mmCIF file of all heavy atoms in Angstrom:
data_model
loop_
_atom_site.group_PDB
_atom_site.id
_atom_site.type_symbol
_atom_site.label_atom_id
_atom_site.label_comp_id
_atom_site.label_asym_id
_atom_site.label_seq_id
_atom_site.Cartn_x
_atom_site.Cartn_y
_atom_site.Cartn_z
ATOM 1 N N ILE A 1 0.877 -1.155 0.092
ATOM 2 C CA ILE A 1 0.051 0.037 0.061
ATOM 3 C C ILE A 1 0.946 1.261 -0.014
ATOM 4 O O ILE A 1 1.554 1.576 1.099
ATOM 5 C CB ILE A 1 -0.940 0.088 1.204
ATOM 6 C CG1 ILE A 1 -1.690 -1.292 1.369
ATOM 7 C CG2 ILE A 1 -1.810 1.238 1.166
ATOM 8 C CD1 ILE A 1 -2.717 -1.611 0.421
ATOM 9 N N GLY A 2 0.975 1.813 -1.199
ATOM 10 C CA GLY A 2 1.922 2.959 -1.229
ATOM 11 C C GLY A 2 1.609 4.238 -0.385
ATOM 12 O O GLY A 2 2.581 4.814 0.153
ATOM 13 N N LYS A 3 0.276 4.478 -0.114
ATOM 14 C CA LYS A 3 -0.060 5.529 0.743
ATOM 15 C C LYS A 3 0.343 5.518 2.146
ATOM 16 O O LYS A 3 0.663 6.405 2.854
ATOM 17 C CB LYS A 3 -1.561 5.695 0.697
ATOM 18 C CG LYS A 3 -2.156 6.822 1.554
ATOM 19 C CD LYS A 3 -3.594 6.846 1.547
ATOM 20 C CE LYS A 3 -4.119 7.957 2.490
ATOM 21 N NZ LYS A 3 -5.616 8.001 2.554
ATOM 22 N N TRP A 4 0.594 4.254 2.588
ATOM 23 C CA TRP A 4 1.028 3.990 3.955
ATOM 24 C C TRP A 4 2.526 3.828 4.156
ATOM 25 O O TRP A 4 3.028 3.537 5.222
ATOM 26 C CB TRP A 4 0.287 2.713 4.547
ATOM 27 C CG TRP A 4 -1.070 2.945 4.714
ATOM 28 C CD1 TRP A 4 -1.769 4.153 4.739
ATOM 29 C CD2 TRP A 4 -2.136 1.884 5.008
ATOM 30 N NE1 TRP A 4 -3.086 3.910 4.856
ATOM 31 C CE2 TRP A 4 -3.377 2.599 5.083
ATOM 32 C CE3 TRP A 4 -2.033 0.668 5.170
ATOM 33 C CZ2 TRP A 4 -4.552 1.904 5.316
ATOM 34 C CZ3 TRP A 4 -3.169 -0.011 5.341
ATOM 35 C CH2 TRP A 4 -4.489 0.457 5.553
ATOM 36 N N PHE A 5 3.243 4.100 3.048
ATOM 37 C CA PHE A 5 4.720 4.092 3.094
ATOM 38 C C PHE A 5 5.281 5.495 3.007
ATOM 39 O O PHE A 5 5.562 5.993 1.855
ATOM 40 C CB PHE A 5 5.331 3.228 1.879
ATOM 41 C CG PHE A 5 6.700 2.954 1.957
ATOM 42 C CD1 PHE A 5 7.247 1.981 2.746
ATOM 43 C CD2 PHE A 5 7.600 3.491 1.173
ATOM 44 C CE1 PHE A 5 8.515 1.600 2.851
ATOM 45 C CE2 PHE A 5 9.088 3.289 1.102
ATOM 46 C CZ PHE A 5 9.496 2.296 2.087
ATOM 47 N N ASP A 6 5.242 6.083 4.077
ATOM 48 C CA ASP A 6 5.727 7.496 4.228
ATOM 49 C C ASP A 6 7.185 7.582 4.509
ATOM 50 O O ASP A 6 7.671 7.339 5.514
ATOM 51 C CB ASP A 6 4.923 8.311 5.260
ATOM 52 C CG ASP A 6 5.088 9.793 5.314
ATOM 53 O OD1 ASP A 6 6.211 10.279 4.848
ATOM 54 O OD2 ASP A 6 4.321 10.480 5.914
ATOM 55 N N VAL A 7 8.011 7.975 3.446
ATOM 56 C CA VAL A 7 9.395 7.860 3.572
ATOM 57 C C VAL A 7 10.026 8.965 4.524
ATOM 58 O O VAL A 7 11.165 8.940 5.077
ATOM 59 C CB VAL A 7 10.116 8.091 2.190
ATOM 60 C CG1 VAL A 7 9.808 6.935 1.319
ATOM 61 C CG2 VAL A 7 9.720 9.395 1.537
ATOM 62 N N ARG A 8 9.094 9.943 4.935
ATOM 63 C CA ARG A 8 9.509 10.942 5.926
ATOM 64 C C ARG A 8 9.530 10.347 7.393
ATOM 65 O O ARG A 8 10.217 10.799 8.262
ATOM 66 C CB ARG A 8 8.672 12.173 5.930
ATOM 67 C CG ARG A 8 8.551 12.809 4.607
ATOM 68 C CD ARG A 8 7.435 13.789 4.534
ATOM 69 N NE ARG A 8 6.172 13.182 4.795
ATOM 70 C CZ ARG A 8 4.968 13.739 4.876
ATOM 71 N NH1 ARG A 8 4.894 15.162 4.677
ATOM 72 N NH2 ARG A 8 3.889 13.031 5.069
ATOM 73 N N CYS A 9 8.778 9.238 7.553
ATOM 74 C CA CYS A 9 8.568 8.685 8.947
ATOM 75 C C CYS A 9 9.201 7.238 9.110
ATOM 76 O O CYS A 9 9.373 6.704 10.137
ATOM 77 C CB CYS A 9 7.162 8.612 9.159
ATOM 78 S SG CYS A 9 6.243 10.204 9.176
ATOM 79 N N ILE A 10 9.472 6.669 7.881
ATOM 80 C CA ILE A 10 9.928 5.238 7.973
ATOM 81 C C ILE A 10 11.426 5.142 7.807
ATOM 82 O O ILE A 10 12.015 5.848 6.941
ATOM 83 C CB ILE A 10 9.268 4.378 6.789
ATOM 84 C CG1 ILE A 10 7.759 4.208 7.107
ATOM 85 C CG2 ILE A 10 9.895 3.124 6.600
ATOM 86 C CD1 ILE A 10 7.027 3.455 6.058
ATOM 87 N N ASN A 11 12.046 4.371 8.566
ATOM 88 C CA ASN A 11 13.347 3.980 8.542
ATOM 89 C C ASN A 11 13.545 3.105 7.426
ATOM 90 O O ASN A 11 13.151 1.909 7.411
ATOM 91 C CB ASN A 11 13.905 3.444 9.828
ATOM 92 C CG ASN A 11 15.308 3.043 9.789
ATOM 93 O OD1 ASN A 11 15.893 2.506 8.840
ATOM 94 N ND2 ASN A 11 15.932 3.165 10.988
ATOM 95 N N LEU A 12 14.217 3.590 6.282
ATOM 96 C CA LEU A 12 14.325 2.661 5.068
ATOM 97 C C LEU A 12 15.158 1.513 5.293
ATOM 98 O O LEU A 12 14.963 0.449 4.679
ATOM 99 C CB LEU A 12 14.833 3.512 3.842
ATOM 100 C CG LEU A 12 13.817 4.642 3.364
ATOM 101 C CD1 LEU A 12 14.461 5.381 2.233
ATOM 102 C CD2 LEU A 12 12.520 4.074 2.943
ATOM 103 N N ASP A 13 16.148 1.557 6.200
ATOM 104 C CA ASP A 13 16.967 0.314 6.506
ATOM 105 C C ASP A 13 16.065 -0.724 7.056
ATOM 106 O O ASP A 13 16.146 -1.978 6.670
ATOM 107 C CB ASP A 13 18.151 0.676 7.349
ATOM 108 C CG ASP A 13 19.170 1.595 6.683
ATOM 109 O OD1 ASP A 13 19.253 1.484 5.393
ATOM 110 O OD2 ASP A 13 19.864 2.364 7.378
ATOM 111 N N LYS A 14 15.331 -0.273 8.005
ATOM 112 C CA LYS A 14 14.343 -1.276 8.643
ATOM 113 C C LYS A 14 13.282 -1.799 7.625
ATOM 114 O O LYS A 14 12.886 -2.905 7.784
ATOM 115 C CB LYS A 14 13.667 -0.653 9.926
ATOM 116 C CG LYS A 14 14.584 -0.653 11.117
ATOM 117 C CD LYS A 14 13.879 -0.197 12.339
ATOM 118 C CE LYS A 14 14.736 -0.342 13.554
ATOM 119 N NZ LYS A 14 14.018 -0.233 14.794
ATOM 120 N N ALA A 15 12.832 -0.855 6.841
ATOM 121 C CA ALA A 15 11.817 -1.241 5.731
ATOM 122 C C ALA A 15 12.443 -2.371 4.871
ATOM 123 O O ALA A 15 11.839 -3.305 4.538
ATOM 124 C CB ALA A 15 11.467 -0.055 5.037
ATOM 125 N N LEU A 16 13.732 -2.279 4.587
ATOM 126 C CA LEU A 16 14.321 -3.290 3.714
ATOM 127 C C LEU A 16 14.430 -4.599 4.538
ATOM 128 O O LEU A 16 14.141 -5.683 3.910
ATOM 129 C CB LEU A 16 15.746 -2.837 3.321
ATOM 130 C CG LEU A 16 16.616 -3.865 2.610
ATOM 131 C CD1 LEU A 16 15.838 -4.353 1.327
ATOM 132 C CD2 LEU A 16 17.936 -3.155 2.218
ATOM 133 N N LEU A 17 14.853 -4.560 5.751
ATOM 134 C CA LEU A 17 14.925 -5.707 6.595
ATOM 135 C C LEU A 17 13.512 -6.465 6.729
ATOM 136 O O LEU A 17 13.419 -7.620 6.617
ATOM 137 C CB LEU A 17 15.296 -5.391 8.029
ATOM 138 C CG LEU A 17 16.787 -4.902 8.179
ATOM 139 C CD1 LEU A 17 17.191 -4.521 9.555
ATOM 140 C CD2 LEU A 17 17.804 -5.996 7.670
ATOM 141 N N TYR A 18 12.521 -5.590 6.950
ATOM 142 C CA TYR A 18 11.094 -6.152 6.972
ATOM 143 C C TYR A 18 10.617 -6.771 5.604
ATOM 144 O O TYR A 18 10.126 -7.942 5.651
ATOM 145 C CB TYR A 18 10.114 -5.012 7.255
ATOM 146 C CG TYR A 18 8.681 -5.489 7.481
ATOM 147 C CD1 TYR A 18 8.305 -6.272 8.561
ATOM 148 C CD2 TYR A 18 7.714 -5.156 6.536
ATOM 149 C CE1 TYR A 18 7.031 -6.758 8.665
ATOM 150 C CE2 TYR A 18 6.456 -5.736 6.594
ATOM 151 C CZ TYR A 18 6.121 -6.462 7.638
ATOM 152 O OH TYR A 18 4.764 -6.985 7.862
ATOM 153 N N LEU A 19 10.954 -6.165 4.554
ATOM 154 C CA LEU A 19 10.720 -6.782 3.252
ATOM 155 C C LEU A 19 11.326 -8.051 3.065
ATOM 156 O O LEU A 19 10.720 -8.966 2.661
ATOM 157 C CB LEU A 19 11.231 -5.808 2.063
ATOM 158 C CG LEU A 19 11.156 -6.211 0.671
ATOM 159 C CD1 LEU A 19 9.775 -6.261 0.046
ATOM 160 C CD2 LEU A 19 12.134 -5.493 -0.185
ATOM 161 N N VAL A 20 12.614 -8.129 3.425
ATOM 162 C CA VAL A 20 13.465 -9.398 3.148
ATOM 163 C C VAL A 20 12.783 -10.489 4.124
ATOM 164 O O VAL A 20 12.623 -11.621 3.698
ATOM 165 C CB VAL A 20 14.892 -9.183 3.529
ATOM 166 C CG1 VAL A 20 15.721 -10.428 3.742
ATOM 167 C CG2 VAL A 20 15.535 -8.269 2.420
ATOM 168 N N CYS A 21 12.534 -10.186 5.383
ATOM 169 C CA CYS A 21 11.975 -11.270 6.268
ATOM 170 C C CYS A 21 10.644 -11.628 5.938
ATOM 171 O O CYS A 21 10.269 -12.791 6.041
ATOM 172 C CB CYS A 21 12.002 -10.610 7.752
ATOM 173 S SG CYS A 21 13.595 -10.460 8.454
ATOM 174 N N LEU A 22 9.757 -10.742 5.465
ATOM 175 C CA LEU A 22 8.416 -11.143 5.092
ATOM 176 C C LEU A 22 8.414 -11.985 3.861
ATOM 177 O O LEU A 22 7.773 -12.963 3.791
ATOM 178 C CB LEU A 22 7.596 -9.854 4.890
ATOM 179 C CG LEU A 22 6.098 -10.112 4.479
ATOM 180 C CD1 LEU A 22 5.288 -10.644 5.506
ATOM 181 C CD2 LEU A 22 5.550 -8.972 3.776
ATOM 182 N N LEU A 23 9.172 -11.597 2.832
ATOM 183 C CA LEU A 23 9.183 -12.248 1.517
ATOM 184 C C LEU A 23 10.056 -13.379 1.431
ATOM 185 O O LEU A 23 9.852 -14.283 0.521
ATOM 186 C CB LEU A 23 9.481 -11.274 0.464
ATOM 187 C CG LEU A 23 8.535 -10.158 0.214
ATOM 188 C CD1 LEU A 23 8.967 -9.320 -0.847
ATOM 189 C CD2 LEU A 23 7.166 -10.623 0.000
ATOM 190 N N ASP A 24 10.964 -13.737 2.363
ATOM 191 C CA ASP A 24 11.980 -14.758 2.257
ATOM 192 C C ASP A 24 11.331 -16.103 2.053
ATOM 193 O O ASP A 24 11.657 -16.787 1.061
ATOM 194 C CB ASP A 24 12.959 -14.767 3.282
ATOM 195 C CG ASP A 24 13.954 -15.897 3.091
ATOM 196 O OD1 ASP A 24 14.768 -15.568 2.081
ATOM 197 O OD2 ASP A 24 14.076 -16.860 3.843
ATOM 198 N N GLY A 25 10.256 -16.543 2.770
ATOM 199 C CA GLY A 25 9.588 -17.675 2.607
ATOM 200 C C GLY A 25 8.629 -17.778 1.463
ATOM 201 O O GLY A 25 8.521 -18.833 0.885
ATOM 202 N N ILE A 26 8.039 -16.641 1.174
ATOM 203 C CA ILE A 26 7.102 -16.554 0.135
ATOM 204 C C ILE A 26 7.731 -16.766 -1.197
ATOM 205 O O ILE A 26 7.226 -17.501 -2.071
ATOM 206 C CB ILE A 26 6.242 -15.187 0.091
ATOM 207 C CG1 ILE A 26 5.491 -15.096 1.310
ATOM 208 C CG2 ILE A 26 5.398 -15.038 -1.162
ATOM 209 C CD1 ILE A 26 4.863 -13.854 1.575
ATOM 210 N N VAL A 27 8.973 -16.169 -1.515
ATOM 211 C CA VAL A 27 9.532 -16.242 -2.827
ATOM 212 C C VAL A 27 10.228 -17.479 -3.205
ATOM 213 O O VAL A 27 10.812 -17.636 -4.254
ATOM 214 C CB VAL A 27 10.436 -14.874 -3.005
ATOM 215 C CG1 VAL A 27 9.757 -13.683 -2.874
ATOM 216 C CG2 VAL A 27 11.713 -15.089 -2.197
ATOM 217 N N SER A 28 10.174 -18.463 -2.337
ATOM 218 C CA SER A 28 10.795 -19.716 -2.636
ATOM 219 C C SER A 28 10.012 -20.475 -3.703
ATOM 220 O O SER A 28 10.485 -21.342 -4.386
ATOM 221 C CB SER A 28 10.923 -20.586 -1.372
ATOM 222 O OG SER A 28 9.705 -20.779 -0.809
ATOM 223 N N GLY A 29 8.686 -19.950 -3.842
ATOM 224 C CA GLY A 29 7.877 -20.524 -4.988
ATOM 225 C C GLY A 29 7.338 -19.342 -5.792
ATOM 226 O O GLY A 29 7.675 -18.166 -5.469
ATOM 227 N N ASP A 30 6.507 -19.638 -6.702
ATOM 228 C CA ASP A 30 5.901 -18.489 -7.513
ATOM 229 C C ASP A 30 5.000 -17.674 -6.515
ATOM 230 O O ASP A 30 4.365 -18.080 -5.617
ATOM 231 C CB ASP A 30 4.854 -19.061 -8.600
ATOM 232 C CG ASP A 30 5.642 -19.878 -9.555
ATOM 233 O OD1 ASP A 30 6.908 -19.729 -9.575
ATOM 234 O OD2 ASP A 30 5.071 -20.630 -10.387
ATOM 235 N N TYR A 31 4.963 -16.330 -6.889
ATOM 236 C CA TYR A 31 4.088 -15.415 -6.186
ATOM 237 C C TYR A 31 3.762 -14.125 -6.991
ATOM 238 O O TYR A 31 4.360 -14.055 -8.150
ATOM 239 C CB TYR A 31 4.831 -14.898 -4.887
ATOM 240 C CG TYR A 31 6.060 -13.957 -5.141
ATOM 241 C CD1 TYR A 31 6.084 -12.640 -5.094
ATOM 242 C CD2 TYR A 31 7.336 -14.545 -5.686
ATOM 243 C CE1 TYR A 31 7.128 -11.854 -5.341
ATOM 244 C CE2 TYR A 31 8.337 -13.747 -5.965
ATOM 245 C CZ TYR A 31 8.314 -12.436 -5.720
ATOM 246 O OH TYR A 31 9.385 -11.684 -6.006
ATOM 247 N N VAL A 32 2.770 -13.298 -6.596
ATOM 248 C CA VAL A 32 2.376 -12.198 -7.194
ATOM 249 C C VAL A 32 2.371 -11.037 -6.255
ATOM 250 O O VAL A 32 2.149 -11.165 -5.083
ATOM 251 C CB VAL A 32 0.930 -12.430 -7.765
ATOM 252 C CG1 VAL A 32 0.287 -11.193 -8.337
ATOM 253 C CG2 VAL A 32 0.861 -13.566 -8.761
ATOM 254 N N VAL A 33 2.704 -9.766 -6.807
ATOM 255 C CA VAL A 33 2.650 -8.627 -6.050
ATOM 256 C C VAL A 33 1.580 -7.591 -6.566
ATOM 257 O O VAL A 33 1.473 -7.474 -7.789
ATOM 258 C CB VAL A 33 4.011 -7.923 -6.076
ATOM 259 C CG1 VAL A 33 3.976 -6.596 -5.339
ATOM 260 C CG2 VAL A 33 5.131 -8.740 -5.478
#
């Protein structure tokens, strides 16, 4: 949800960590974004 990703308030390093942790198990197979 782009509207909820406010770069003024979000730590982008932590956002990257969250992305990697959330998707790591999902991307082992086919997926859609």
Side-chain angles (χ1 to χ4, degrees):
I1 309 293
K3 180 181 175 182
W4 292 347
F5 190 77
D6 189 338
V7 295
R8 301 170 301 181
C9 305
I10 289 180
N11 177 324
L12 293 178
D13 292 332
K14 283 190 172 193
L16 176 57
L17 293 176
Y18 182 71
L19 171 80
V20 166
C21 287
L22 178 75
L23 295 182
D24 187 64
I26 294 172
V27 301
S28 58
D30 294 347
Y31 69 105
V32 174
V33 174

